[in-house]
Amino acid sequence: MTDDDATGEANRARSTTRRRAASRRSLLRGAVATGAALVWGAGAVAGEPRRGRGNGQGGAPGGGSPGGGFPPKGITTYGRSVDLGNGSVRTFTTATPSGEPKYHGAEFERAALEGLPSADALAAADNRAETDKYRVGGQATEVHFKQSLQFFVPFPDAAATPFTFLGLNWNPGGHFGGAGAWLKPHFDVHFHMLDPARVDAVEGPRLPPYDTGNDEYTPGGPSPDPGGKVTETNFDYDQLPEGYARSPEPVADQRYITDMGEHTAPADAPELPDAPGEPGNPEAFDNTLIQGFVGDTDGSRLAFVEPMLTREFLRDANGTETYEVPQPQAYPHDRQHPTEYGVRDVPPKDAVTVVLGGFEQV
């Protein structure tokens, strides 16, 4: 069974310019976008101009020419491929001969966007062992009360960057969060900065290990718990990217997600609700940049950058859309960090790529 009969108009990336100052709408989002539990731990706050949204720039991330071959031949190394839908996905890394990083990316054959498994098919699948996410067919699992097909795929090494592996999730029913904003079939494309074993050890949904609660949360479902409260935290707010925030206290016990960590989201995502008690708008969701954290009782660290993209958005990708990666005040590494991500159609390969680029020394 597949979900290829899913409907909904594609929402293309928008070229927008927003004031640097937070609007009242943005502040409301940051305060109350609890939704039905922000499943990836995604909260929302006031955003920067174009933070996580389209900026209307042409070309590949990092300044590649839209007319040339992509990824560039001769300096691109491909990782292993995995089976998805009717096609495959593979990782790649592009670096100059002197070792300067240009791109980390995931290349989706367009056939991989068709014939995708439904939630029912995943629930009945026999590839549900913990080790299956490292295999070519991936692991069918439940992540925060929703069925998902996930893969852990190494990136070819680029020593000047912190990125280690791709955590790819296909979510046929979307996932909870933003008052229903993300209940639309989509992919989570995690660019992880930690060793796979470290991420594999993350369990949830629960309070992150660097938070202390009042033990009044009611576990077992995605609904917010207004009685829950975080009493202490060792979260490192200097590493929180500008324009981002953690999920609010009613869903703090669901911040930490299995095989991922804590997720934060920007306020300028148009799918998020405008005010307390209002629903999110999944039809306005096309792609939103999540950034996330992993840690222990001593503290948190920025651990992944995650474009979250609907299947319709990838299906309709035409040309190149380039977006800004919001930056934190402090980094957990001393390597080069991406300032852009992009979605690029590659017609000669009948493929579409999701790419980090614009690397700068921190």
Side-chain angles (χ1 to χ4, degrees), residues 20-61:
R20 294 186 65 88
S23 66
R24 177 172 176 78
R25 173 185 173 94
S26 296
L27 289 170
L28 282 171
R29 283 176 174 163
V32 303
T34 60
L38 296 163
V39 159
W40 304 122
V45 288
E48 286 288 290
R50 302 185 302 273
R51 293 292 189 184
R53 310 305 305 165
N55 65 8
Q57 297 175 3

Side-chain angles (χ1 to χ4, degrees), residues 218-245:
T218 302
S223 298
D225 186 347
K229 185 177 181 180
V230 175
T231 56
E232 296 181 29
T233 186
N234 286 326
F235 185 85
D236 185 352
Y237 283 94
D238 284 345
Q239 294 187 38
L240 185 68
E242 191 171 3
Y244 281 62

Side-chain angles (χ1 to χ4, degrees), residues 112-293:
L113 306 178
E114 310 299 333
L116 291 161
S118 68
D120 288 342
L122 291 178
D126 61 2
N127 55 323
R128 302 185 74 85
E130 282 293 316
T131 55
D132 285 338
K133 59 178 166 277
Y134 296 97
R135 303 182 191 278
V136 68
Q139 178 192 15
T141 188
E142 184 177 278
V143 178
H144 208 122
F145 318 111
K146 284 283 189 177
Q147 291 296 318
S148 182
L149 179 62
Q150 68 173 343
F151 303 84
F152 279 15
V153 191
F155 282 113
D157 182 52
T161 84
F163 295 99
T164 54
F165 75 100
L166 171 73
L168 174 65
N169 285 71
W170 158 242
N171 308 297
H175 55 65
F176 295 104
W182 299 310
L183 292 173
K184 190 176 188 180
H186 71 270
F187 298 93
D188 294 331
V189 185
H190 301 81
F191 292 81
H192 285 283
M193 304 180 215
L194 297 176
D195 184 270
R198 175 83 182 276
V199 179
D200 200 358
V202 173
E203 297 181 352
R206 65 182 180 90
L207 273 173
Y210 38 81
D211 284 341
T212 302
N214 62 356
D215 297 324
E216 293 183 3
Y217 294 106
T218 302
S223 298
D225 186 347
K229 185 177 181 180
V230 175
T231 56
E232 296 181 29
T233 186
N234 286 326
F235 185 85
D236 185 352
Y237 283 94
D238 284 345
Q239 294 187 38
L240 185 68
E242 191 171 3
Y244 281 62
R246 310 178 68 194
S247 58
E249 286 195 345
V251 290
D253 61 331
Q254 299 172 38
R255 283 174 173 166
Y256 221 51
I257 303 302
T258 299
D259 291 343
M260 298 174 188
E262 178 178 0
H263 295 57
T264 65
D268 60 352
E271 67 270 17
L272 291 176
D274 293 331
E278 293 187 7
N281 180 15
E283 289 306 309
F285 169 44
D286 50 33
N287 84 107
T288 295
L289 185 68
I290 303 295
Q291 299 199 57
F293 295 80

